[in-house]
Amino acid sequence: MHCKPNIAIDGPAGAGKSTVAKLVAKNLGYLYIDTGAMYRAVTLKALRDGVDLNDHEKLGRLASAVLIRLKVGSNGNLTVLLDGEDVTEEIRLPAVSNSVSLVAKVPVVRRKMLELQKDMARLGGVVMEGRDIGKAVLPDAQVKIYLTAATGERARRRWKELSDKGIRVDQRQIEEEICNRDFIDTSREMDPLAPAADAVIIDSTSYTIEGVVDLIVARVTGERQKL
Ligand code: CDP
């Protein structure tokens, strides 16, 4: 029996999942887990090693061999370690964003990540965000959220995020990358991106971050009172 319930947040790129999930976790005193960072770390390793992204067998071996650790700091920020090396910044670079969906669609890679993620949540009390959390990783999560927003708005948010870090990119190119990723993520065979039947769908296009966070926290608190 879990001491604390788990919360699943899914949705497409740039919908604000990371920002929202981090704040919800902080608010509730839960652990924040970014599963996309894990797929990004595997992708970075594959790119560094020059692995052909169509070679599923090699990608599977690589996913099994790498050691991925997510460390949450006292400020709630996440450090991503790939075989002990801090790759937090590098996994956000456009080269990784452009390839990650090709790696994430490989069933043997997904099975490995699924196993790790289920294990991370086994004690409860996590806010986990990704693409398949509500349906595959945490099908019995107490609260499931599917967070989305209009494509143009998602591209604008992602562009701002990268610009703030000094990474210069064209907003149209970002929109293209996001659409391309959405397509691969929603059409792949294993655990495609889609809201779970029991997910609350939130379109955040015209919501503030605080508005979305409040909605989710209220939902969790409401569920707790039912127990
Ligand atoms: O932050 P952003 O929305 O750009 O994406 P992310 O959460 O970092 O995830 C990067 C990619 O990893 C996604 O586009 C998916 O291809 C894959 N992913 C997945 O397949 N399953 C998850 N649970 C999380 C991410």
Side-chain angles (χ1 to χ4, degrees):
M1 187 64 189
H2 294 155
C3 347
K4 280 184 189 171
N6 289 319
I7 299 164
I9 303 182
D10 289 301
K17 295 184 307 289
S18 301
T19 314
V20 163
K22 215 180 279 175
L23 288 169
V24 169
K26 191 171 173 213
N27 197 305
L28 296 167
Y30 285 18
L31 183 66
Y32 161 60
I33 301 177
D34 174 3
T35 61
M38 300 171 72
Y39 287 98
R40 283 174 178 272
V42 173
T43 305
L44 176 64
K45 174 74 176 160
L47 292 175
R48 281 181 176 177
D49 289 5
V51 174
D52 174 358
L53 302 186
N54 293 309
D55 189 337
H56 292 188
E57 224 182 280
K58 262 203 185 134
L59 286 174
R61 276 204 299 275
L62 185 145
S64 298
V66 290
L67 188 67
I68 299 168
R69 276 195 60 210
L70 303 180
K71 256 178 37 189
V72 188
S74 50
N75 54 3
N77 287 340
L78 208 70
T79 301
V80 184
L81 299 172
L82 172 66
D83 293 326
E85 177 193 344
D86 184 346
V87 293
T88 314
E89 297 297 327
E90 206 173 341
I91 58 167
R92 304 286 156 199
L93 292 178
V96 176
S97 300
N98 286 329
S99 300
V100 62
S101 290
L102 293 175
V103 174
K105 75 174 193 174
V106 179
V108 20
V109 172
R110 297 205 71 78
R111 279 196 285 276
K112 180 67 198 167
M113 295 301 120
L114 198 71
E115 187 191 312
L116 292 174
Q117 291 156 8
K118 276 180 181 288
D119 193 50
M120 288 170 162
R122 73 184 189 288
L123 297 177
V126 306
V127 178
M128 193 177 268
E129 59 122 329
R131 300 290 188 289
D132 59 341
I133 312 304
K135 291 179 81 163
V137 186
L138 305 175
D140 54 2
Q142 190 188 34
V143 172
K144 296 181 188 176
I145 306 291
Y146 187 85
L147 190 61
T148 185
T151 315
E153 175 61 14
R154 293 195 277 121
R156 194 194 61 77
R157 290 178 188 173
R158 185 46 50 88
W159 172 82
K160 187 170 180 310
E161 198 180 307
L162 290 170
S163 301
D164 287 350
K165 284 190 200 159
I167 302 170
R168 285 172 63 88
V169 273
D170 183 68
Q171 198 171 322
R172 261 176 328 197
Q173 253 175 346
I174 296 271
E175 188 161 339
E176 221 170 274
E177 177 242 301
I178 280 182
C179 288
N180 192 25
R181 257 196 305 140
D182 285 355
F183 175 74
I184 304 174
D185 291 347
T186 51
S187 60
R188 69 180 173 224
E189 236 164 78
M190 185 173 168
D191 299 332
L193 167 66
D198 50 351
V200 180
I201 298 178
I202 303 178
D203 182 339
S204 72
T205 310
S206 46
Y207 271 96
T208 60
I209 288 166
E210 293 74 29
V212 178
V213 172
D214 288 350
L215 248 164
I216 299 175
V217 171
R219 189 92 198 177
V220 176
T221 317
E223 286 296 322
R224 254 195 223 144
Q225 280 160 0
K226 281 192 207 158
L227 295 177

